[in-house]
Amino acid sequence: QVQVVESGGGLVQAGGSLRLSCTASGLTFDDYAMGWFRQAPGKQREGVSCIRSRSSTTYYADSVKGRFTISRGKAKNTRYLQMNSLKPEDTAMYYCAARNRSYCAVPWYDTADFGYWGQGTQVTVSS
């Protein structure tokens, strides 16, 4: 079975940093684009970033550009989301998701187009 697992969340003060990790199993990783999404209580899930599985083309939400970086780990089944200069408004449950294509959706943040999701990791930024 396809399994997606994310980790690395926690509590951090504003201005601090966290690095989230995403691993996947049960799939041919080079064929799956990976995205990061987040959802705060009372809000809809929104796209944070996405990376293609082969070209490494990346996409970011305007709210995180210049602060967050998505990358591929040396292990081919691993992706990271480096989050710097965190703000209280970044507080949310963060999810890693896989799309059964090597490229991201159009638009890249279309949650319905990602078929496999992790359980989420909580990120809380205090002021």
Side-chain angles (χ1 to χ4, degrees):
Q1 294 181 330
V2 174
Q3 185 175 19
V4 178
V5 180
E6 62 273 86
S7 63
L11 175 64
V12 65
Q13 292 184 338
S17 299
L18 285 173
R19 190 176 203 178
L20 306 184
S21 299
C22 176
T23 59
S25 61
L27 52 77
T28 302
F29 208 72
D30 285 347
D31 295 335
Y32 288 76
M34 302 296 294
W36 285 98
F37 300 81
R38 66 186 182 186
Q39 186 170 22
K43 296 184 178 180
Q44 293 186 340
R45 189 167 298 183
E46 63 177 347
V48 176
S49 185
C50 186
I51 186 169
R52 291 185 178 186
S53 62
R54 300 186 181 186
S55 72
S56 296
T57 299
T58 58
Y59 304 85
Y60 297 94
D62 289 341
S63 60
V64 306
K65 285 183 178 178
R67 299 189 297 120
F68 291 10
T69 303
I70 191 170
S71 63
R72 307 170 72 176
K74 291 185 178 181
K76 292 186 177 182
N77 66 338
T78 303
R79 299 290 184 266
Y80 298 104
L81 183 68
Q82 178 67 45
M83 304 185 294
N84 298 326
S85 301
L86 284 163
K87 305 175 181 179
E89 50 263 44
D90 294 319
T91 296
M93 185 72 74
Y94 283 71
Y95 299 88
C96 182
R99 181 174 186 259
N100 189 26
R101 296 294 176 91
S102 63
Y103 50 91
C104 299
V106 180
W108 65 265
Y109 50 80
D110 185 0
T111 60
D113 209 45
F114 289 77
Y116 305 96
W117 295 79
Q119 293 298 307
T121 184
Q122 179 68 40
V123 172
T124 302
V125 184
S126 64
S127 59

